[in-house]
Amino acid sequence: MAKELFNRYVWLIDTLQRYGRLTRREIDGLWQRSEYSDGKPMARRTFMNYRQAIQEMFDVNIECDASTYEYYIEDPDALQGNGARVWALNTLAVSNMLNESQELRNRIVLENIPSGQKFLRIVFEAMKENRVLILSYRSFRRVTSSHTLAAPYFVKLFRQRWYVIAKDFTDRKIKTYALDRVASLELSSRTFVYPDSFSPIDYFRDCFGITHDDMPAQEVVLRVPALQANYLRTLPLHESQEELDRNEHGSTFHYRLKITPDFEQEVYALGYWQAEVLSPQTLRDAVAERLSRSLACYGTAGLSCQERGK
C-alpha cells in the first residue's frame, strides 16, 4: 500500500510537470485514465492529502491560482538539474509510465547500467551510518586488486556507471572508485566523521565527468557545426555552457571548467563532428596532436597503431 501511495504522489507531480497548470476537473480526467484510479474519480480530500504528502516528502509545493482555479508546481525549476531528488523523481516517473504501458514492453528498449548495483545498498548504508568500507578494488590500470579502508563521502552516476567518492585511509586522499571495478565490499565496525564543510557539488564544480583535479578552471571556447550545436543546446557539455554566437554554419560555445582527462576525451570525440577548440591554445594543441596520432593509425596498411609503436 505504501508503494502504491508513493507512485500516486509521483504520478501527480509528473502530471503537473507535463501539463503545467490544470484544474481539478482536468486532473481528475487524467487520473481516471491512469492505472491507479480503477476508473474512479479522485475525491477532493484525497487530492488535498496528496498535496500535503508531496510537500512533506519531496519538498514540492502544489499551489492553486485563485483566479483560474488551476493547480501548478510553485517552483518548477527546483525539479530540474541533477540533484538526487530530481533523479529519483524522474526515475520513478519513467517507472510509472512503463507500468502503465505493459502492452508496449516489447517495444521499449532501455540501457543497462553494469555498475555493481549489488554494492550500492552497502555504500548507502555506510554513508547513512558513517561507517568505513573495506574495499577491494581493481583499476583498469592494474593487474591485481588493491585493498583499502575508505570513508564514503558521496556517490555519483556518470555515463551508465556508479562511482563512490571516498577518503582513502592509507594516504588520506579523496579518491573515486567505480563500483563496476569493485571486487568486494563490506562494512567495517570503524566509523568516521563526515566533514560539515564538505560539499559534493563544490567538489566537482568546474569539472566535467568523474575526474577531479585541484587545477584552476579555465575559459574554453569551442566552435561546432550547426548540426552538432543542436545537440549541445539540448544536452550541454557542462552547466557553465554559454552560446556566444550562432549562424547558419555553426555556433561558438564558451565554458569555464577544469581541463581534466575526461574533458579532453570529450573534446577529442567532438572532433569527429569537426568541432574546433578556439582556446586555450594548450587544449587546442593537445587535441590536434591526438587527432594526428589517430589519423596516423590509418596511414600504414596492414599495421595497427600498437604494432607501429613497437
Side-chain angles (χ1 to χ4, degrees), residues 115-125 155 162 179 185:
S115 56
Q117 298 279 7
K118 63 180 180 179
F119 295 129
L120 266 180
R121 185 174 295 277
I122 300 175
V123 173
F124 287 168
E125 185 177 349
V155 295
W162 280 105
L179 287 187
L185 187 68

Side-chain angles (χ1 to χ4, degrees), residues 21 66 79 255 276-277 308:
R21 300 169 73 94
L79 296 178
Y255 305 88
E276 180 185 2
V277 178
R308 280 195 296 277

